[in-house]
Amino acid sequence: MNLRLLAAKVLTRVVAEGQSLTAALEQVLQTVPSVQDRALLQALCYGVCRQYHRLDFILCQLLDKPLKDIHIRLLILVGLYQLGFMRIKTHAAVSETVNAAGRKPWAKGLINALLRRYLREREQFEKAADENFLASCSHPEWLIAKIRQDWPDKADRCLRENNQPPPFALRVSLSRISREAYCELLNVQGLAAELPDFCASALVLDQPVPVERLPGFAEGLVSVQDTAAQLAAGLLDVRPGQRVLDLCAAPGGKTAHILEMQPQLKEMVAIDVDANRLRRVEENLRRLRLEAKTAVGDASHPEDWWDGRQFDRILVDAPCSALGVIRRHPDIKLLRRAGDIEPLAAQQRAILNAAWNMVAPGGCLLYATCSVLKEENERQMVDFLAGHPDAIEWPITAEWGTACAVGRQILPGDLAMDGFYYARLRKA
C-alpha cells in the first residue's frame, strides 16, 4: 500500500472535485489498517493543504512548463512536503513518491528529477518562496486582503497561526468529574495538560492522541472541543427551569456543554438542517448520557418546526466561512472563495431575524461564528441592533479576545484558541 498514492488521491478529490478534506480522508482511511499508516496519511494530506500555496510556488519554479495532470501535480506536492517539512528519510520520501506514479514512466522520471533538483537547490527555492508574498503566507490572495482589511495590526500573526497545527483541547464534563480529578486520570496515562484559567471546563493536552487513549471518553467524562467553542455555554448564563434552543447545533458539542453546565433545564432543543449531522448530535448526547429534543429543521424557517413557544435562551451557532478554524481545516484555503462571504452573511441575517422572534421578552440570544471577518461578525451585529429596537447588547466582559463595536473577537492563536466571535443580546 503506497501512502503517497493515497494522499494524492485524497488531495485530488479536494483540489479538483471540491470535496472537503475530512470527507475525502474518511473514505480512504477505512482502507488503511495500520494506525501508524493512517497517522502518516493524515499528516501528508493536512500538511500539503496547509502549505499548498508555498509548495505550488516552488513546483512552478521547478517546472519548465505547466503540468496539466492534476494527480501527478499533487503527488509532486506530497513529495515536496515530505522533503521540506517532515522528518522522513530523503531516499524513502523520493522513492515512495516516484513509485506512487504507477504505470506512468514519464511521470516517474519527472517526479524523480524534480524532487532531486529541489534537494540540490533547496536553499534557493525556499528563499524565493520566503520572498514571494503569497507563497510565504500560503493563503489565497483574496483571503489575505480580507484579513488585512479587518485586522491590519494583527493580520500577519493571524496568517502565521493559520499555518500551525491546532492545539488538542478537551472539555471535561464537570457534572461528572472535576477538571483536577480528570487531570490525575491523564497523568496515569502519561498525558500532560494545561488548565486555562478563563475556562473552567477546558484542558489543553501537550500532544494530540486518539480518543481511545483518553480515560473515560467512552463513558462520557470528556469530549474533544476547542476552548473557544467551550465559552458559549457560560456566556448563555442558563438558569434552572429555562427553555433553551441551539440552532445549527451539529455536531452537538455546545448543546452537550449547556446540559453539562445546567442539568435542571425545562427543555433543551437542538435543531440542524442536515439529518446526517443531526445524528452526530444524538450520538454525542448518548455517549455523554445527556438528553435533548432534536429535530431536523431550517433555522431561517422556524414555521416548519417551531411550536410557537418562546425560549429563554437561544444559541445561534451560525453557518459561516469558518475562516477562524483554518488550522483545523486547512482545506478551507483551497475550497472557500471570496464570493462565498456575502451569501453566508445573507443566510446569517435570515437566521438571526427568525431566531429573534423565538426569544422570550427578557431572554437572551448568543450569536457565535468561527469566522474572523467583520462582515459576518461585528458588522452583522451592528446592523441587527440598528434594525431591532427591542434588542439590547448584553456586553461580554472577559480576559479573552478583542472588544468590538458589538461583541468580542478571538483570533486564531489567542490564548491557544481557534478564531471565534461572540455577541450577546437581550430582548427588552
Side-chain angles (χ1 to χ4, degrees):
M1 180 178 292
N2 191 307
L3 296 178
R4 283 75 178 172
L5 173 61
L6 293 180
K9 286 182 176 179
V10 169
L11 291 166
T12 300
R13 289 175 181 169
V14 175
V15 176
E17 300 172 20
Q19 195 170 9
S20 77
L21 179 57
T22 302
L25 258 176
E26 191 174 4
Q27 297 170 20
V28 175
L29 285 173
Q30 298 171 1
T31 68
V32 182
S34 164
V35 173
Q36 189 174 8
D37 285 349
R38 287 199 295 271
L40 176 55
L41 176 58
Q42 290 183 84
L44 290 171
C45 294
Y46 274 84
V48 171
C49 286
R50 195 167 277 131
Q51 298 296 336
Y52 181 86
H53 297 83
R54 183 184 187 90
L55 297 170
D56 194 55
F57 172 83
I58 292 173
L59 176 55
C60 288
Q61 302 300 301
L62 284 164
L63 289 168
D64 294 326
K65 58 183 180 180
L67 179 59
K68 294 181 180 179
D69 189 318
I70 185 66
H71 178 76
I72 297 301
R73 186 181 187 90
L74 290 166
L75 185 55
I76 298 171
L77 297 191
V78 171
L80 289 172
Y81 180 74
Q82 293 171 84
L83 299 176
F85 292 91
M86 299 185 81
R87 296 178 179 177
I88 295 174
K89 291 182 179 178
T90 299
H91 67 86
V94 173
S95 63
E96 287 295 312
T97 305
V98 169
N99 290 337
R103 299 178 180 179
K104 293 181 178 180
W106 67 269
K108 287 188 173 184
L110 178 66
I111 294 170
N112 185 61
L114 293 180
L115 295 184
R116 293 194 180 281
R117 184 186 169 200
Y118 168 79
L119 287 170
R120 289 193 306 270
E121 304 173 34
R122 176 174 176 173
E123 186 174 338
Q124 172 188 328
F125 287 118
E126 294 295 346
K127 184 174 184 292
D130 288 338
E131 293 172 352
N132 180 274
F133 179 63
L134 296 182
S136 63
C137 293
S138 200
H139 281 65
E141 187 172 8
W142 73 267
L143 180 51
I144 296 171
K146 282 271 190 185
I147 293 175
R148 287 195 159 177
Q149 176 184 319
D150 284 356
W151 304 101
D153 298 332
K154 302 180 180 182
D156 289 348
R157 181 175 180 271
C158 182
L159 294 169
R160 285 196 304 272
E161 288 291 338
N162 281 347
N163 290 333
Q164 300 301 314
F168 191 72
L170 304 177
R171 185 189 78 244
V172 178
S173 179
L174 298 180
S175 60
R176 305 271 304 281
I177 188 172
S178 71
R179 188 165 65 163
E180 291 69 25
Y182 190 78
C183 265
E184 292 178 10
L185 296 180
L186 288 174
N187 291 335
V188 171
Q189 298 290 329
L191 302 174
E194 294 183 10
L195 284 65
D197 56 8
F198 59 92
C199 184
S201 57
L203 292 170
V204 182
L205 267 63
D206 290 352
Q207 297 291 333
V209 297
V211 293
E212 295 80 13
R213 280 199 63 196
L214 296 174
F217 180 83
E219 294 76 25
L221 296 185
V222 69
S223 300
V224 178
Q225 187 180 40
D226 188 77
T227 307
Q230 296 183 44
L231 299 172
L235 291 172
L236 267 178
D237 189 36
V238 176
R239 305 299 174 89
Q242 290 185 330
R243 297 183 71 242
V244 182
L245 172 64
D246 185 357
L247 289 173
C248 315
K254 298 181 185 71
T255 302
H257 194 194
I258 293 166
L259 289 164
E260 289 168 353
M261 288 191 72
Q262 183 49 263
Q264 298 178 354
L265 294 179
K266 183 176 183 180
E267 187 177 35
M268 179 77 217
V269 180
I271 302 293
D272 200 271
V273 72
D274 189 318
N276 291 325
R277 285 172 54 79
L278 192 69
R279 278 193 284 274
R280 289 187 61 195
V281 177
E282 294 162 350
E283 290 167 3
N284 282 325
L285 291 174
R286 279 196 295 272
R287 180 181 64 82
L288 295 165
R289 303 176 188 178
L290 300 169
E291 292 185 7
K293 179 181 177 181
T294 62
V296 176
D298 184 338
S300 61
H301 292 284
E303 64 275 8
D304 297 334
W305 49 266
W306 181 41
D307 63 6
R309 293 183 298 155
Q310 292 179 310
F311 293 88
D312 302 290
R313 299 285 188 271
I314 294 182
L315 170 60
V316 176
D317 196 0
C320 68
S321 63
L323 298 178
V325 292
I326 284 175
R327 57 186 185 172
R328 293 191 188 280
H329 304 283
D331 52 314
I332 289 171
K333 293 192 290 184
L334 308 180
L335 299 176
R336 188 67 70 208
R337 300 289 183 266
D340 296 340
I341 308 304
E342 174 48 36
L344 284 166
Q347 187 180 10
Q348 292 156 5
R349 286 191 291 272
I351 291 173
L352 275 167
N353 289 326
W356 192 244
N357 292 327
M358 294 186 282
V359 179
C364 165
L365 182 149
L366 179 66
Y367 178 75
T369 79
C370 54
S371 174
V372 297
L373 299 186
K374 293 187 178 183
E375 186 176 349
E376 299 180 87
N377 297 339
E378 178 182 345
R379 288 201 289 272
Q380 191 75 268
M381 285 292 97
V382 169
D383 291 346
F384 183 84
L385 286 169
H388 294 78
D390 59 344
I392 306 163
E393 183 186 7
W394 181 5
I396 298 171
T397 304
E399 300 173 4
W400 48 263
T402 300
C404 303
V406 182
R408 295 188 77 84
Q409 177 73 59
I410 305 165
L411 294 175
D414 289 354
L415 298 174
M417 290 189 285
D418 287 342
F420 255 79
Y421 173 83
Y422 287 110
R424 197 166 51 176
L425 307 177
R426 278 198 184 278
K427 195 169 195 176

